[in-house]
Amino acid sequence: MDYDKYKAILIKRRSELEESLEQLTEAGQIVKLDQAMMGRLSRMDALQGQAMAKANKNRSVTEIKKIDYALTRISNDDFGYCIECDEEINSKRLEINPTAIFCIKCAEKKSI
């Protein structure tokens, strides 16, 4: 297994997520409820945008944690093996999602 290939993909994705986190943090700032500055509908749009930014930020933070775990698994030579059954995870699955920790069979069992 080409650990360097997956490590490069994971590091690149982590960097992209960190950049987007900065933007999401700004977008998730508190919406001022000044009646003179904006109307009710504009305020509702701003609140919806704030909620979406917070949800995206939470998703990004979760993905960064998964990436960090995958990088740790690479360092420990555990990467590419299912944490449930210890079988090798299909390389096509890892190419699609290098943070995958379950093989297909175990992932299907978890979703049932």
Side-chain angles (χ1 to χ4, degrees):
M1 184 170 299
D2 188 1
Y3 288 136
D4 291 335
K5 170 185 160 184
Y6 292 110
K7 188 174 184 177
I9 291 168
L10 290 164
I11 289 172
K12 180 181 178 205
R13 179 66 181 142
R14 190 179 199 295
S15 176
E16 292 168 353
L17 287 168
E18 286 175 340
E19 287 178 24
S20 72
L21 270 177
E22 292 175 19
Q23 295 170 355
L24 290 171
T25 300
E26 292 174 16
Q29 296 298 319
I30 295 173
V31 176
K32 295 180 182 177
L33 299 176
D34 186 357
Q35 296 283 347
M37 292 186 66
M38 65 174 67
R40 184 171 59 93
L41 293 177
S42 297
R43 207 169 35 258
M44 288 172 59
D45 286 341
L47 289 170
Q48 183 179 15
Q50 177 192 33
M52 288 174 26
K54 283 182 179 180
N56 287 335
K57 181 179 177 183
N58 289 339
R59 257 191 305 278
S60 294
V61 168
T62 299
E63 189 173 348
I64 286 172
K65 288 177 183 177
K66 288 179 179 181
I67 289 169
D68 288 344
Y69 184 61
L71 290 170
T72 299
R73 288 175 51 95
I74 288 173
S75 297
N76 296 337
D77 292 329
D78 293 332
F79 182 81
Y81 293 93
C82 179
I83 64 169
E84 187 76 21
C85 69
D86 208 30
E87 292 293 321
E88 192 169 344
I89 299 172
N90 187 303
S91 61
K92 289 182 182 180
R93 179 171 171 77
L94 289 173
E95 286 176 19
I96 293 169
N97 180 9
T99 63
I101 57 174
F102 296 109
C103 66
I104 293 290
K105 288 180 185 177
C106 291
E108 286 175 347
K109 288 178 192 175
K110 296 280 182 194
S111 66
I112 294 177

